Amino acid sequence: MSGFFIGIDVGGTNLKAGLTDETGRLLAAARRPLDFRGAEAFAADLADLAAEVLSAAGAAPGDAEGVGIGLPGAVSGGEVLYTTNIPLERTDLAALFRRRLDLPVLLGNDADCAAVGEYFQGAGRGLRDFVVLTLGTGLGAGIILDGRLRGGESSSEAGHMVLHAGGEPCPCGRRGCWEQYASATALIRRTEAAMSAHPESALRRLAEEAGGVDGRTPFLAAEAGDETALAVCRAYVEELAEGTASLINILRPEAVAFGGGVAGAPEHLLLEPLRRRIGELCFSRHGGRATRILRAELGNDAGVIGAALLGRVI
């Protein structure tokens, strides 16, 4: 038996692994809580999880072509340069992994892995030029051009292009970065400000019922007709459209797919107005190929599948 690929997605609280075939079809999956106890123990946990999905499919390590690991941060080769949620700066994670399980290891940024997963098994099937934007704590971008991951192992940082010069401070050291206006974190911040300014809004009641504000709160309130929430959603769509249109004008992809929890918002409150506004902002309104605006399809499986198949697009 051969032709298996292992993908591991390192999330904020969990590690997820999957075994796929060469098309990205998921054959087995496993997960465990993230329990960081140092780099060596972390690598051992990843290797053990990889061995677990091999065993679940009745396969041996020799049946696998390799392992891809998606992380929230910057990587180079087998080295983690930095991550946003675990202390792994300048760590040769691939070498530590191979002490436990001797397989080829390729590291990737989590947004890139999501794009690769969607390219093979999700919203990007059959396309050659495709972008995935992940709306979460930050704003990630995975870009595939002519069937190859843009930058190879060097991830795109579209969330750190400046949308508002001199605007909100960003942890990257600049001000006005796009992710400070269009990430889920930015949407939550905007929602909380609206709640404070309009205490009569349904936003407060919904937040109290849910135990806090998240990326769904303004859309739930807007669905109920709350005007304050509708204004929050419209302002968010405008920020998201402005940055997306700039990317589209530069790259001219066939499609852009949105992933992350916010992307699950009702179509008429997010994707439909987003399509209209992007259509008004993009140069394709003058002619030529118009970029389709889609919802990502794979959910939590995108990162695992994409990590498994990183080597096919780098």
Side-chain angles (χ1 to χ4, degrees), residues 164-178:
H164 298 281
E168 294 287 338
C170 182
C172 78
R174 304 180 79 190
R175 300 185 72 94
C177 289
W178 187 24

Side-chain angles (χ1 to χ4, degrees), residues 96-180:
L96 294 176
F97 182 100
R98 288 196 299 270
R99 291 181 188 175
R100 190 84 165 202
L101 187 62
D102 190 17
L103 286 171
V105 177
L106 187 61
L107 306 185
N109 171 267
D110 55 357
D112 284 346
C113 290
V116 175
E118 292 287 342
Y119 177 71
F120 281 105
Q121 281 287 327
R125 289 189 306 273
L127 305 181
R128 297 293 291 172
D129 301 316
F130 177 61
V131 175
V132 169
L133 296 174
T134 56
L135 310 175
T137 303
L139 195 159
I143 300 170
I144 294 175
L145 300 177
D146 196 24
R148 312 301 293 180
L149 187 63
R150 193 227 68 83
E153 63 190 28
S154 299
S155 59
S156 300
E157 296 295 343
H160 295 287
M161 65 178 179
V162 171
L163 200 65
H164 298 281
E168 294 287 338
C170 182
C172 78
R174 304 180 79 190
R175 300 185 72 94
C177 289
W178 187 24
E179 78 170 26
Q180 294 304 309

Side-chain angles (χ1 to χ4, degrees), residues 134-137 184 187 215-216 219 258-266 270 295 300:
T134 56
L135 310 175
T137 303
L187 177 58
R216 296 169 297 176
F219 293 103
F258 291 87
V262 174
L270 182 67
R295 197 191 312 271
N300 291 331

Side-chain angles (χ1 to χ4, degrees), residues 123-124 127 129-132 142 144 248 252-257 289-294:
L127 305 181
D129 301 316
F130 177 61
V131 175
V132 169
I144 294 175
I248 290 172
R252 304 300 290 269
E254 295 167 83
V256 174
R289 182 171 73 188
T291 298
R292 287 184 286 151
I293 304 300
L294 309 172

Side-chain angles (χ1 to χ4, degrees), residues 1 6 33 40 52 55 105 110 149 158 160 180 196 223 225-226 231 290 313:
M1 212 183 314
I6 301 168
E40 290 191 19
E52 186 177 335
S55 177
V105 177
D110 55 357
L149 187 63
H160 295 287
Q180 294 304 309
S196 296
E223 276 273 81
D226 184 82
V313 292

Side-chain angles (χ1 to χ4, degrees), residues 33-313:
L34 171 61
D35 179 21
F36 189 80
R37 308 177 309 282
E40 290 191 19
F42 175 68
D45 285 346
L46 297 179
D48 290 348
L49 200 56
E52 186 177 335
V53 293
L54 281 167
S55 177
D63 297 325
E65 302 287 338
V67 180
I69 304 173
L71 299 122
V75 300
S76 178
E79 185 180 13
V80 180
L81 303 180
Y82 75 88
T83 60
T84 57
N85 62 334
I86 45 180
L88 276 178
E89 285 192 18
R90 301 291 175 180
T91 301
D92 191 343
L93 184 61
L96 294 176
F97 182 100
R98 288 196 299 270
R99 291 181 188 175
R100 190 84 165 202
L101 187 62
D102 190 17
L103 286 171
V105 177
L106 187 61
L107 306 185
N109 171 267
D110 55 357
D112 284 346
C113 290
V116 175
E118 292 287 342
Y119 177 71
F120 281 105
Q121 281 287 327
R125 289 189 306 273
L127 305 181
R128 297 293 291 172
D129 301 316
F130 177 61
V131 175
V132 169
L133 296 174
T134 56
L135 310 175
T137 303
L139 195 159
I143 300 170
I144 294 175
L145 300 177
D146 196 24
R148 312 301 293 180
L149 187 63
R150 193 227 68 83
E153 63 190 28
S154 299
S155 59
S156 300
E157 296 295 343
H160 295 287
M161 65 178 179
V162 171
L163 200 65
H164 298 281
E168 294 287 338
C170 182
C172 78
R174 304 180 79 190
R175 300 185 72 94
C177 289
W178 187 24
E179 78 170 26
Q180 294 304 309
Y181 300 88
S183 63
T185 303
L187 177 58
I188 290 168
R189 188 165 57 241
R190 186 183 293 273
T191 302
E192 289 173 339
M195 286 168 52
S196 296
H198 301 277
E200 78 287 355
S201 166
L203 289 168
R204 185 172 297 280
R205 175 180 57 79
L206 285 170
E208 288 172 354
E209 290 174 356
V213 178
D214 62 25
R216 296 169 297 176
T217 305
F219 293 103
L220 288 171
E223 276 273 81
D226 184 82
E227 287 298 327
T228 299
L230 283 165
V232 169
C233 293
R234 290 187 191 112
Y236 178 73
V237 165
E238 180 66 22
E239 300 287 8
L240 194 53
E242 287 283 356
T244 304
S246 292
L247 273 185
I248 290 172
N249 285 339
I250 294 167
L251 301 172
R252 304 300 290 269
E254 295 167 83
V256 174
F258 291 87
V262 174
E267 187 104 356
H268 69 281
L269 291 173
L270 182 67
L271 288 188
E272 287 180 7
L274 193 57
R275 289 184 185 111
R276 286 195 298 272
R277 186 62 179 135
I278 288 172
E280 293 166 355
L281 295 170
C282 283
F283 265 75
S284 59
R285 69 186 184 276
H286 301 300
R289 182 171 73 188
T291 298
R292 287 184 286 151
I293 304 300
L294 309 172
R295 197 191 312 271
E297 297 177 3
L298 298 181
N300 291 331
D301 289 337
V304 169
I305 294 170
L309 298 185
L310 264 177
R312 296 195 57 194
V313 292

